Amino acid sequence: MISNKGQSTNIKVLCRIRPLPNEVNKLEYSQIEIRSSNHLTVFPKTDPENALNFEFDHIFPSTSNQENVFHIAAHSIVQDLVQGINGTIIAYGQTASGKTHTITGSDIFDANTMGLIPRVITSVFDNIEESDNTLEFSMKISYCELYLEKIYDLTDMDKKGLKIREDRVRGFYIEKLTEHFVSSDFEVFEILRVGTENRHLMCTNMNSRSSRSHTIFTINLDINNSLDLSGRNGRLCFVDLAGSERVSKTGAEGLRLKELKNINKSLNSLTSVINALTDTKALHVPYRDSKLTKMLQNSLGGNSKTSIIITVSPLLVNESETISTLRFGAVAKAVKNQPKINRELTMAELKLKLHKLEEELKKKALRIGALEEALAKLSIDSSVIETQPSKNDDPVDFESTESDEFLIELSEASNKLTSYIEDNSKRKKLFTEVKMSLEDIEKNRENDHALISILENKHEKIESAIKAKSVIVQKLIIEKTVLSEKIERAHAKKLELERTLNEKTAENNDLKYKLKAYQDKQEILPETVEAIEELKEKLVHEQHKYKKNQSELQELQLRLNLALQEQLNNKIGDEKSILTREINARNDKIIALEHELDEINESTKLTKKILGEDESSLLIDTDALEKKLKELAEMYKLLVSRQSSSNIEKQINLRKVTRLNEKIGFLEQELQNKKKDLIKVEKEANRFLDDMAAQSIFNKMRVPIKGGGGKGSRAYTYSRLSIKPRNCASLKFN
């Protein structure tokens, strides 16, 4: 199958609000306000101040009729189906919210209450009737349900527990599901009626006829164009999901409880798939978690234009389910699909392509043969060519001058061709040399790249060494700063000690002066002597402390000098500058190599271009010369055999024309006979198809539907079928 590239498009989500009887008290309604055709607001009873806003592609109020829903939700999908684009319409919502009423309708034969499926079927056949008569359609119908995680064929109840298989081309499909060929909408209505009556329904506290299964009604449409032999196919699926329910509201027990668990499990799997498709971080989409999501894989994130109709109930008792359904629709609106036209090559189209390819091969074979003959003629010696006219002197005696000119021209052309061949061989040799030089340049280029990579590695190592040295320098600077602060503090302390020493020295001198004065007077008091001794001890202590601080200061000065000396010995600045210069030099060399490589590439491109132009011009000249040589050879043959063969050729041609005229007459007669036989066969085939359609609506043979002018056949089929449902009351609003 061949498909054109599809464009990404979001799933279309539409909301339908179910109408309620007039006798229901308005106080029992949930407060839902429709602000526009695509925007509604819900005011929850538990928290009316926090309103919930939802936006969808369209919102159907409770007053909307079935026709309005069809035109907005499904009309465009019908147009796409006839063009060969897949489509899906899914009904989602809680039980008793109107899903089945929307998809099927309360009476599929009532123009007012019929749902989407009968309206779509009628619209599809209307489009077939309005299409070009060069189109031929073939339609297949299948109808199945998923009940208790088992698949049932609703048109053949003997087929239960069908398996889902996976194919690389088709994806997931239901094995052995019956597909009925149909030729009119009335046949489809009968299949829909039978399948709907076979569907599993049950009475619950919330719905007297609650659907206990998910159903899938599928239309497969093949379109073949008899004009260009092209083919397309489209598929349209209607999915009527079972309603989500709560055990407390439905009062489910036993089998009903088992049904409810399976329904809610499959709907939860559907929700998980929707969430995974809208989550940009999700690495896996869990299609395989349930049979429902397997069957809907192509409709969710695949090759299909999908519309989801969410149905809600405005009753206050269902408010939580309504909000949950609206939130599901808001999330599903973000899912993107990739719809595209499904075009497939028919057998007739493949045969036509094969025939064209064979014709092209024949033409190429003839061309190759002509070229081989021309090459063979070029290898003939010119002397042999000159002796050929002597075999038949009589026919060419009267044109000897023209023959001589022809031989001269042929000789010149041969010489010219020889020179061209020699020139071509020289150019080929030059091209080979240039190619070898280009290979050498390519090798040098690889070597340069290797050298550049080595230099880059060395550059990285140097950079890392510079970074390491920079770290050491930073550490030394920090240590220098710390030592400088310590020296400053020691110097301040030294100044303070010197000031104290000077003060003590002054006091000592003063005391000495006083002591001397007292000694002179010989009046030394005991208290004075004790004070003097105390001052002497204090002076000795301060001198000792001063010497200790002086040694510490010298030690700090020594450490600072050592650190500075080590910093100078490292010569980091000089090494860094040397490394920087080396890096710059290597970078300059790399740039020069790259520039040289670019120049080599440019010269290579220019050389290739010049060689290509020379070779193409040489080929053109060679082809022209071949044509001229062929013309000259034909002229030569004509000069040699003009008079001798003209009569014979004329007689042969007359015989050929006579035989061709006889053959044309015979073929025309045979064609007329075949046309008559074909008309008879077509009449018999149409009669056979009509008989097959009259015998049973469940056709398992392909029934072609001709585009344009099909209304008569639809009315004829309707008159021969008894299709009115046996029990219309069984298809009530659901």
Side-chain angles (χ1 to χ4, degrees):
M1 180 180 293
I2 302 173
S3 301
N4 68 331
K5 188 177 181 182
Q7 294 182 351
S8 178
T9 178
N10 288 69
I11 284 180
K12 193 176 180 181
V13 180
L14 307 101
C15 176
R16 188 178 190 185
I17 301 174
R18 173 183 174 139
L20 292 177
N22 295 326
E23 59 268 16
V24 177
N25 192 342
K26 290 186 177 180
L27 296 176
E28 298 179 7
Y29 278 81
S30 178
Q31 191 173 354
I32 300 176
E33 182 180 341
I34 300 177
R35 298 184 180 273
S36 65
S37 61
N38 61 349
H39 182 208
L40 64 79
T41 304
V42 180
F43 298 91
K45 184 180 179 182
T46 55
D47 191 7
E49 293 182 357
N50 293 327
L52 302 175
N53 294 300
F54 298 94
E55 286 190 6
F56 303 106
D57 292 281
H58 192 81
I59 297 170
F60 299 103
S62 58
T63 56
S64 296
N65 56 35
Q66 298 284 67
E67 183 70 17
N68 187 27
V69 174
F70 164 73
H71 279 291
I72 294 175
H75 186 266
S76 61
I77 292 182
V78 172
Q79 306 297 324
D80 294 331
L81 175 66
V82 178
Q83 296 299 321
I85 299 175
N86 296 338
T88 305
I89 299 176
I90 303 173
Y92 178 93
Q94 73 174 108
T95 187
S97 60
K99 299 184 300 299
T100 304
H101 175 71
T102 300
I103 295 295
T104 308
S106 57
D107 186 350
I108 62 175
F109 300 97
D110 189 326
N112 295 321
T113 61
M114 66 169 57
L116 289 177
I117 295 178
R119 293 177 189 275
V120 165
I121 291 297
T122 304
S123 180
V124 169
F125 278 97
D126 288 341
N127 276 272
I128 291 174
E129 290 179 352
E130 294 170 2
S131 64
D132 195 341
N133 57 10
T134 59
L135 298 178
E136 185 179 274
F137 299 84
S138 176
M139 185 183 293
K140 291 186 296 185
I141 302 296
S142 64
Y143 200 8
C144 68
E145 72 170 352
L146 179 63
Y147 175 68
L148 293 179
E149 284 299 300
K150 293 182 179 180
I151 301 173
Y152 294 80
D153 189 339
L154 291 177
T155 63
D156 186 356
M157 293 307 293
D158 293 332
K159 292 185 177 180
K160 302 176 182 179
L162 300 179
K163 303 295 183 183
I164 295 179
R165 303 297 184 191
E166 187 176 8
D167 185 77
R168 291 180 62 185
V169 178
R170 297 169 61 186
F172 289 109
Y173 68 97
I174 303 172
E175 188 180 31
K176 297 181 180 180
L177 179 63
T178 307
E179 293 183 316
H180 306 282
F181 285 98
V182 295
S183 59
S184 69
D185 44 0
F186 311 109
E187 298 175 28
V188 183
F189 287 174
E190 182 70 1
I191 294 172
L192 178 62
R193 180 189 66 78
V194 172
T196 304
E197 288 181 352
N198 291 330
R199 187 177 180 183
H200 284 83
L201 302 174
M202 191 55 60
C203 178
T204 66
N205 291 348
M206 295 186 67
N207 189 358
S208 60
R209 292 186 56 79
S210 175
S211 301
R212 313 309 297 165
S213 63
H214 311 296
T215 62
I216 300 178
F217 184 89
T218 306
I219 304 169
N220 284 289
L221 187 66
D222 294 331
I223 309 106
N224 294 318
N225 192 326
S226 60
L227 197 61
D228 59 3
L229 303 179
S230 63
R232 291 169 293 173
N233 61 71
R235 184 177 65 176
L236 178 56
C237 297
F238 295 90
V239 184
D240 185 6
L241 299 175
S244 58
E245 301 173 354
R246 291 187 179 181
V247 178
S248 59
K249 290 185 178 182
T250 58
E253 296 179 355
L255 180 60
R256 302 288 80 76
L257 181 60
K258 186 178 179 181
E259 292 172 348
L260 179 58
K261 288 181 178 178
N262 279 281
I263 291 169
N264 290 339
K265 181 181 177 181
S266 60
L267 292 176
N268 288 334
S269 299
L270 177 62
T271 304
S272 299
V273 168
I274 294 292
N275 290 332
L277 289 170
T278 55
D279 185 4
T280 56
K281 297 181 181 179
L283 301 176
H284 170 67
V285 181
Y287 289 113
R288 298 177 181 272
D289 286 1
S290 73
K291 292 183 178 179
L292 175 64
T293 51
K294 284 182 181 179
M295 291 188 289
L296 295 180
Q297 181 181 17
N298 193 51
S299 303
L300 302 173
N303 170 24
S304 174
K305 282 192 175 181
T306 301
S307 294
I308 298 179
I309 302 175
I310 56 173
T311 56
V312 297
S313 171
L315 281 176
L316 186 60
V317 69
N318 297 326
E319 186 176 77
S320 60
E321 289 87 349
T322 297
I323 293 174
S324 177
T325 301
L326 292 172
R327 285 174 175 165
F328 172 86
V331 175
K333 194 173 181 296
V335 176
K336 292 184 179 295
N337 284 1
Q338 300 286 337
K340 53 192 174 183
I341 295 176
N342 303 310
R343 184 177 178 273
E344 62 180 8
L345 294 174
T346 61
M347 186 60 68
E349 195 172 3
L350 289 171
K351 288 181 179 178
L352 183 62
K353 286 184 176 291
L354 181 61
H355 180 69
K356 289 181 179 178
L357 289 173
E358 288 175 349
E359 290 294 330
E360 290 180 3
L361 288 173
K362 288 180 181 178
K363 290 179 181 178
K364 289 181 179 179
L366 291 173
R367 173 65 177 162
I368 291 169
L371 291 174
E372 287 177 350
E373 286 182 9
L375 290 173
K377 289 174 183 178
L378 291 174
S379 62
I380 298 173
D381 190 78
S382 60
S383 61
V384 177
I385 296 175
E386 291 175 358
T387 58
Q388 284 180 359
S390 63
K391 295 179 183 178
N392 204 355
D393 295 330
D394 295 335
V396 295
D397 285 340
F398 65 96
E399 290 179 352
S400 59
T401 305
E402 187 177 352
S403 178
D404 293 337
E405 291 176 357
F406 166 76
L407 290 174
I408 292 169
E409 188 175 358
L410 181 61
S411 177
E412 291 176 355
S414 179
N415 293 331
K416 191 174 182 181
L417 180 61
T418 304
S419 64
Y420 272 119
I421 291 171
E422 291 176 356
D423 192 18
N424 189 24
S425 62
K426 289 180 182 178
R427 292 187 179 184
K428 283 183 179 179
K429 185 177 180 181
L430 178 62
F431 180 79
T432 305
E433 292 175 355
V434 172
K435 190 175 180 181
M436 292 176 64
S437 64
L438 288 174
E439 290 176 354
D440 294 334
I441 291 169
E442 192 68 24
K443 290 180 182 178
N444 293 332
R445 183 181 178 181
E446 292 176 357
N447 294 333
D448 292 338
H449 279 299
L451 179 60
I452 289 168
S453 62
I454 293 169
L455 292 174
E456 286 177 349
N457 291 332
K458 197 165 184 180
H459 180 266
E460 290 176 357
K461 290 180 181 179
I462 293 169
E463 285 287 342
S464 61
I466 290 171
K467 288 181 181 178
K469 296 293 183 181
S470 299
V471 172
I472 295 172
V473 170
Q474 292 294 331
K475 289 181 180 179
L476 290 174
I477 290 171
I478 293 169
E479 189 174 355
K480 178 183 176 182
T481 304
V482 173
L483 290 174
S484 299
E485 290 175 356
K486 287 184 179 181
I487 289 170
E488 288 177 359
R489 288 197 297 272
H491 186 66
K493 195 169 184 180
K494 176 184 176 183
L495 293 175
E496 185 178 358
L497 290 173
E498 286 178 351
R499 182 177 59 78
T500 304
L501 180 62
N502 292 330
E503 290 176 357
K504 297 300 181 181
T505 303
E507 289 178 2
N508 187 27
N509 292 332
D510 186 40
L511 288 172
K512 283 182 179 180
Y513 178 77
K514 288 182 179 180
L515 180 61
K516 187 176 181 181
Y518 279 117
Q519 285 177 352
D520 292 337
K521 292 181 179 182
Q522 298 291 323
E523 294 179 356
I524 301 174
L525 298 175
E527 296 83 357
T528 305
V529 174
E530 291 178 359
I532 290 169
E533 291 298 327
E534 184 178 355
L535 287 172
K536 285 182 178 181
E537 290 177 359
K538 193 172 182 180
L539 179 62
V540 171
H541 177 71
E542 291 296 333
Q543 287 177 349
H544 181 70
K545 192 174 180 180
Y546 173 75
K547 289 178 180 180
K548 185 178 180 181
N549 289 331
Q550 189 73 20
S551 63
E552 288 180 358
L553 182 63
Q554 289 176 358
E555 185 179 356
L556 289 172
Q557 187 69 34
L558 181 62
R559 286 178 63 188
L560 178 62
N561 292 333
L562 289 172
L564 292 174
Q565 186 66 31
E566 183 179 358
Q567 183 178 0
L568 292 173
N569 291 334
N570 287 334
K571 296 181 181 180
I572 294 169
D574 294 339
E575 187 175 354
K576 185 176 181 180
S577 62
I578 291 168
L579 290 173
T580 303
R581 284 196 299 272
E582 186 177 354
I583 290 166
N584 292 332
R586 292 177 185 267
N587 285 334
D588 293 336
K589 188 174 181 180
I590 290 169
I591 292 168
L593 288 171
E594 289 179 346
H595 182 68
E596 185 178 354
L597 186 60
D598 291 336
E599 289 179 352
I600 291 169
N601 288 333
E602 289 295 329
S603 62
T604 302
K605 290 179 181 178
L606 183 62
T607 305
K608 286 183 177 179
K609 184 177 179 182
I610 292 169
L611 289 174
E613 290 175 354
D614 291 342
E615 190 173 1
S616 61
S617 63
L618 181 60
L619 290 173
I620 291 168
D621 293 341
T622 305
D623 290 337
L625 189 57
E626 285 179 357
K627 290 180 181 178
K628 194 169 183 180
L629 283 171
K630 191 175 181 181
E631 291 174 359
L632 292 172
E634 291 296 331
M635 288 174 62
Y636 176 76
K637 286 182 180 180
L638 183 63
L639 290 171
V640 173
S641 61
R642 179 178 295 173
Q643 189 171 359
S644 62
S645 62
S646 59
N647 295 329
I648 298 171
E649 187 176 357
K650 184 177 180 180
Q651 292 175 1
I652 292 171
N653 288 332
L654 287 172
R655 291 173 185 171
K656 286 183 178 179
V657 168
T658 304
R659 286 197 298 269
L660 286 173
N661 288 331
E662 292 174 355
K663 192 172 182 180
I664 289 169
F666 175 77
L667 291 174
E668 286 178 349
Q669 184 64 34
E670 189 177 358
L671 180 62
Q672 290 178 0
N673 295 332
K674 294 290 184 184
K675 285 182 178 179
K676 291 178 181 179
D677 294 337
L678 181 61
I679 291 170
K680 291 179 181 179
V681 170
E682 285 180 350
K683 288 181 180 179
E684 291 177 0
N686 291 331
R687 192 181 303 111
F688 173 77
L689 293 174
D690 290 340
D691 292 338
M692 289 295 295
Q695 289 173 9
S696 173
I697 60 165
F698 298 130
N699 294 311
K700 294 186 180 180
M701 293 179 61
R702 182 178 179 273
V703 182
I705 309 169
K706 201 71 174 176
K711 294 183 180 179
S713 63
R714 289 170 71 188
Y716 175 69
T717 307
Y718 175 71
S719 66
R720 299 175 65 177
L721 293 174
S722 176
I723 63 169
K724 191 62 180 174
R726 295 185 291 276
N727 186 10
C728 288
S730 65
L731 304 176
K732 294 297 182 183
F733 188 102
N734 186 22

